[in-house]
Amino acid sequence: MSDTRALILTIIGTGLAVTTIVITVLSMQIAAVNTRIDDLRVDVRDLRADHVRFDERLDALEVAVGKLDQRVATLERILLPAREPASD
């Protein structure tokens, strides 16, 4: 009876030890995944900030090109002779 009881307690103890190890390993893996997700969030946040800055610079460039286009049009009207209508 005591041998059977000792065997059962050993099996239960081994099962608990294995379960504890599995839980510990899974917890460590989950923590590592959470860390990688946090790092990814930081990277995405940085990409968004870069995108916003790029968009602002592109808007400024668009305004500058528009002003340049207006100046060129003004110079063309002043310096170039008017075109004669095309004859059919």
Side-chain angles (χ1 to χ4, degrees), residues 37-68:
I37 289 172
D38 290 342
D39 292 344
L40 182 61
R41 284 181 179 154
V42 169
D43 290 345
V44 168
R45 199 174 306 127
D46 291 346
L47 283 173
R48 283 184 183 150
D50 290 345
H51 177 264
V52 167
R53 283 193 302 274
F54 179 75
D55 197 42
E56 290 169 351
R57 291 172 60 193
L58 190 58
D59 288 344
L61 180 61
E62 185 178 16
V63 168
V65 169
K67 289 179 181 179
L68 183 60

Side-chain angles (χ1 to χ4, degrees), residues 8-20:
I8 291 173
L9 289 177
T10 302
I11 292 171
I12 291 172
T14 303
L16 288 174
V18 169
T19 302
T20 302

Side-chain angles (χ1 to χ4, degrees), residues 63-77:
V63 168
V65 169
K67 289 179 181 179
L68 183 60
D69 188 46
Q70 287 176 344
R71 289 178 181 172
V72 167
T74 301
L75 288 173
E76 285 177 343
R77 279 193 305 273

